[in-house]
Each structure stands twice: as structure tokens, then as C-alpha cells.
Amino acid sequence: MSAPTPTDMLGRYSQALEDFLLHDDEAGLLRAYELGREAVARERGLLNFVDMHRQLVEHMDAQTPSLPPGREDRSLRFLSESLAAFALLHMRDQEANAALRQMNDLLENEARRCARALHDQAATMLAVIYLDLADLSRESRDSTQSVRIARIVAQIDRLREQLRRLSHELHPPMLDQLGLVPALRSLAEGLARNTGLSIALNASPDLHPSATLATVAYRVVHEALNNIVQHARAHNVEVRLWLRNDRLHCAVQDDGAGFDLAQRRRRIPTDGLGLIGMRERVRALQGRMDLWSMPGCGTIVRFSLPRAQSAGPA
């Protein structure tokens, strides 16, 4: 059986509404709810649905003036029952967003704990190793052994630097201490040193987002920059942050190879978990993220987050 067309829904909604205006029974309200559920399932917009109802009522007023008194009240009851499905969908979205926010908070808290443990415990262990090697070097009379000790110390220096970088990636302390813009500037400078990319950071001077917004914005920008390093073959990157209409906006643009968006959407996203994670973090705060790219024309990742955060359902 083929799916019902929009015209078919219009006809069935019109007939159900007219029947309810005449009979006002529970069966009519059930039909209203089922039609609302069908509209939600077919992703019909709420405003479009309400406008359909309004036009039908105006048409009925003009064509059938003999409908019983009180039809305005019945019409509103029918519409309210139809919109119950939209309300449930909105509640489910709120619950999903609240769950995503809770998951993000748990992940950040765990990342903060791991970063602190990695920094503190590793630093203590490395300090002991450095002292032992220094004692061994002073006691050694063999030049060959001294050379080996120096080589071990150099390797430990590299290990310490890698652990420090990993600790900062898990949760950069600068994000808590100085805020979003200094943390992103430090991230950009570190990536530029390690990769040779030219990364320009342009941010409004009045940017002081909440800790939650700052964390999400930092994570999304970090992932976007990682994607550029791994896939874009870019030379220049610009990161822009600004405030407008009580929203925090950010755009990350590169001059790399780009890709075909339509082709990418058709592929199974086996390598797109980073992008999915970015979208989910933004969605958890009722934000919006857009991606634009063309082969040979680079890529733009743009997202916005509302500065005022609702708590969501308990």
C-alpha cells in the first residue's frame, strides 16, 4: 500500500473535523490524535499543521453555516487533541536533550578526573625516575653507561611531554582557569607548532560564555581542527567566535581539499563518529550545527549555541 499523500491527509482531517463538530464524541477525539501522530511521523511542521486546521475552519464557516452552536469550542478541542502528538514529541526531544547534557557532563567530569590523575600521578612517578637516574649517572664511572642514561632521560622527556599534552587534551586546565578564548588560542598555537598549519583565531572581546557553553564550544572546535589535520590537507584555518541575538556563534573554515557532501551523506558513516559527536554535543544544548564543503574549496563547520540554558525536565 502506498503512503497517504498530503492531500489525502487534508481530506481525512477535514472529514474527521466535520464529523466531530457534528457529534462531539470520544471517537472523534481519538481520530484527531491519530491524525496528529501521523503528521508527526511524516515530519509535518507544527505551524503548517495549525495553518491547515485554520483554513479548513474558515472554509467550513463559509460553506456550512448550519453547523451547530459551540463549534468554535469543539474546533479548538479537536485541534488540541491533534497537537498532543506534537507535544509528546517536544517532551521526548527535551528528555533526549537532558540525557545528552547529563552524558556530556559525566564525560567531562570523568575526563577532568583522568586528566588530573594522569598529570599528578605521572608527574610524581617521573620525578622519582629522574632522581634515580641522576643518582645512577653520578655514581657511574663508565662513559658508555652515562651515554645510555642520557638517552633514557631524553626518552623520558619526550614521554613527559606526550603525557602533558594528553592530559591537556582530556581537559585543558586553561579552560577552567582563563576561559574559552585563551584555551582555544593555546590549542591553535600548539597545533600550528606541531603541524605547520596557519591557524587564525578571531573572537569578540566580550565573549564570556558559561562553563557549559565554553566546554562544548571547545570540544567541537577541537574536533573540527583534528579533522582538518587528519583529512583536509589544508594550509590555512580560521576560527571565528562572536555573539549575536543572545547566541554564541562559531565558524571553523579551512582551505583544504574539501569533499562532496551529498556523496558523504550516502555513505555509511564508519569514519564519521567525530562529526556525530560534534552534532550531539551541540544538540544537547539546543544548538545548531551546519557543515559546508565542496571538492577543492575547503570546508566550513559552523555552529551556534543559546547563551541562556534551560534546565530541561527533571
Side-chain angles (χ1 to χ4, degrees):
M1 178 183 290
S2 61
T5 64
T7 303
D8 183 42
M9 166 169 273
L10 177 66
R12 288 183 295 117
Y13 188 92
S14 175
Q15 185 62 55
L17 174 59
E18 187 172 346
D19 291 345
F20 184 73
L21 292 177
L22 290 171
H23 302 294
D24 188 8
D25 54 12
E26 288 299 320
L29 291 177
L30 179 60
R31 288 176 68 189
Y33 177 72
E34 291 299 330
L35 287 166
R37 284 186 58 187
E38 181 182 327
V40 168
R42 291 165 55 188
E43 300 182 353
R44 184 157 192 167
L46 174 61
L47 294 179
N48 180 270
F49 190 85
V50 172
D51 189 58
M52 176 187 73
H53 177 90
R54 179 189 60 80
Q55 291 184 38
L56 285 173
V57 170
E58 289 178 354
H59 178 74
M60 289 178 183
D61 285 344
Q63 298 296 321
T64 54
S66 61
L67 285 173
R71 59 185 175 186
E72 292 84 1
D73 178 64
R74 293 184 184 184
S75 169
L76 287 175
R77 286 173 58 205
F78 190 89
L79 176 62
S80 297
E81 196 66 26
S82 301
L83 298 182
F86 288 91
L88 287 174
L89 176 66
H90 179 64
M91 289 175 62
R92 286 198 295 269
D93 282 345
Q94 285 189 320
E95 291 169 356
N97 287 335
L100 284 171
R101 282 198 300 272
Q102 185 178 24
M103 181 190 70
N104 284 338
D105 289 344
L106 289 172
L107 288 174
E108 288 301 327
N109 289 336
E110 186 64 13
R112 188 180 289 109
R113 184 190 67 79
C114 291
R116 190 175 296 117
L118 183 63
H119 180 272
D120 296 344
Q121 296 177 20
T124 301
M125 294 173 64
L126 287 175
V128 172
I129 295 172
Y130 276 121
L131 289 173
D132 287 344
L133 286 172
D135 290 341
L136 186 60
S137 180
R138 280 193 300 269
E139 296 169 0
S140 175
R141 297 292 184 267
D142 185 346
S143 61
T144 302
Q145 188 176 24
S146 297
V147 171
R148 292 181 62 190
I149 292 173
R151 190 160 56 242
I152 293 171
V153 171
Q155 291 174 345
I156 293 175
D157 287 341
R158 287 193 291 272
L159 173 61
R160 182 185 62 181
E161 178 60 26
Q162 289 177 359
L163 289 175
R164 187 192 67 82
R165 187 164 60 249
L166 178 59
S167 173
H168 284 201
E169 286 184 1
L170 278 170
H171 188 84
M174 191 177 291
L175 188 60
D176 295 330
Q177 297 164 3
L178 299 178
L180 175 61
V181 176
L184 286 177
R185 183 166 289 113
S186 176
L187 172 66
E189 291 172 353
L191 280 174
R193 281 194 306 270
N194 295 329
T195 65
L197 272 173
S198 173
I199 305 177
L201 175 63
N202 298 308
S204 300
D206 56 345
L207 273 177
H208 301 290
S210 67
T212 300
L213 254 66
T215 299
V216 169
Y218 180 89
R219 292 299 185 196
V220 174
V221 172
H222 191 184
E223 186 62 35
L225 292 175
N226 281 342
N227 287 340
I228 292 170
V229 170
Q230 294 174 20
H231 307 295
R233 303 195 300 277
H235 300 288
N236 301 285
V237 182
E238 182 183 20
V239 180
R240 293 185 295 116
L241 295 103
W242 68 98
L243 295 174
R244 189 175 68 222
N245 298 331
D246 211 30
R247 294 178 74 88
L248 171 65
H249 297 262
C250 181
V252 182
Q253 181 173 358
D254 68 71
D255 62 354
F259 55 89
D260 187 327
L261 272 174
Q263 187 178 50
R264 185 185 182 95
R265 291 191 186 103
R266 289 193 294 268
R267 289 206 321 257
I268 298 173
T270 54
D271 61 343
L273 294 181
L275 185 59
I276 293 172
M278 292 160 67
R279 290 190 185 281
E280 290 304 305
R281 285 181 182 275
V282 170
R283 178 190 164 201
L285 299 186
Q286 287 87 48
R288 172 175 177 173
M289 190 179 106
D290 297 301
L291 181 68
W292 180 92
S293 187
M294 285 182 62
C297 296
T299 300
I300 302 174
V301 175
R302 180 167 175 169
F303 64 92
S304 68
L305 300 166
R307 296 180 72 188
Q309 294 299 306
S310 59

